[in-house]
Amino acid sequence: MAAKDDPIIIKKYANRRLYNTGTSTYVTLEDLADMVKKGEEFTVQDAKTGDDITHPVLTQIIFELENKDGQNMLPIPFLRQLIAFYGDQMQMIVPSFLEQSMIAFSKEQERFREQMKGAFGKSPIDVMKIATPIKALEEQTRRNMEMFQNAMRLFTPFPSAGSNGPAPAPAEPAKKEAPEKPDDLQELKEQIAAMQRKLDTMS
């Protein structure tokens, strides 16, 4: 039996209809978007196979929202960079970076909303102080990008075979590279964890 705090199960049928098992009603992608905004947890399952298809459904919601007039949030340069990361060695840290950045941004957003609520009924000078948290958000975004670029540099020390001719170092170090890979991978994982801790401290 599902606990009260368990995510709501949304079943998707072959006819593409979505069924909310919590309310026993059919819902739309727009309804799911509203549930996300309200902080309601849910998972989407294929009604026939039981497979978890939450990720593609959420992606579809973003696609629908991005195609509404005046609702574009994802700039073209960002989309290009994101596409370029697929299949790249950086792909393994992009999800973690984006998740931590959005968590930090959400915390700043809540602080900003509280200051906005407190600004109503105050003098124009007090209202002008709202610009401070906006600049803080911009500064945090800039710091996040710097950290991401640093992380990218950490992930590029591995020379690609056949790039720019033979490496200046002798062949022997290249042979040593294979047994050292597990250590390198562990070091990279530690660097990712360190980056996440830095993001947490900035929030």
Side-chain angles (χ1 to χ4, degrees):
M1 183 175 177
K4 185 179 179 182
D5 293 332
D6 282 351
I8 298 167
I9 303 296
I10 308 293
K11 291 188 177 293
K12 185 174 184 180
Y13 290 89
N15 60 6
R16 307 182 106 184
R17 296 193 74 184
L18 298 160
Y19 184 77
N20 185 330
T21 62
T23 59
S24 300
T25 57
Y26 285 98
V27 293
T28 64
L29 289 176
E30 190 172 347
D31 293 327
L32 295 186
D34 288 337
M35 290 174 68
V36 171
K37 292 173 184 177
K38 292 174 185 175
E40 298 178 24
E41 292 289 332
F42 63 84
T43 60
V44 187
Q45 295 179 356
D46 185 292
K48 184 176 181 180
T49 65
D51 292 341
D52 189 327
I53 54 172
T54 307
H55 186 279
V57 169
L58 292 177
T59 305
Q60 187 179 358
I61 291 172
I62 292 173
F63 176 80
E64 295 287 339
L65 292 173
E66 282 290 307
N67 278 282
K68 284 187 176 181
D69 290 337
Q71 292 224 33
N72 304 87
M73 273 204 310
L74 303 177
I76 289 176
F78 171 80
L79 292 172
R80 291 184 189 278
Q81 290 171 345
L82 195 60
I83 291 169
F85 283 134
Y86 282 94
D88 187 88
Q89 60 186 5
M90 288 300 300
Q91 182 174 345
M92 64 183 291
I93 73 162
V94 171
S96 177
F97 171 79
L98 293 178
E99 181 180 5
Q100 293 300 319
S101 295
M102 289 305 292
I103 289 172
F105 184 82
S106 295
K107 290 178 181 177
E108 289 296 330
Q109 180 191 44
E110 286 304 315
R111 197 177 310 169
F112 175 67
R113 282 178 174 169
E114 289 302 317
Q115 291 186 359
M116 281 291 286
K117 286 179 186 177
F120 288 108
K122 293 187 177 182
S123 68
I125 294 176
D126 291 329
V127 175
M128 288 296 290
K129 292 178 182 176
I130 295 299
T132 303
I134 294 177
K135 289 193 178 297
L137 286 174
E138 291 175 350
E139 177 62 19
Q140 180 173 333
T141 302
R142 184 188 65 77
R143 289 199 305 267
N144 286 353
M145 286 309 301
E146 285 179 356
M147 290 184 66
F148 188 51
Q149 288 166 354
N150 289 337
M152 287 174 64
R153 283 193 283 272
L154 293 174
F155 273 74
T156 53
F158 307 109
S160 57
S163 62
N164 298 326
E172 187 175 315
K175 290 179 183 176
K176 289 170 119 185
E177 204 173 302
E180 288 177 359
K181 279 186 179 176
D183 292 336
D184 290 338
L185 185 57
Q186 181 60 35
E187 183 180 348
L188 293 175
K189 287 180 180 178
E190 291 172 0
Q191 289 167 348
I192 293 171
M195 183 176 72
Q196 289 177 346
R197 287 194 294 271
K198 286 182 182 178
L199 286 171
D200 289 339
T201 58
M202 291 192 309
S203 59

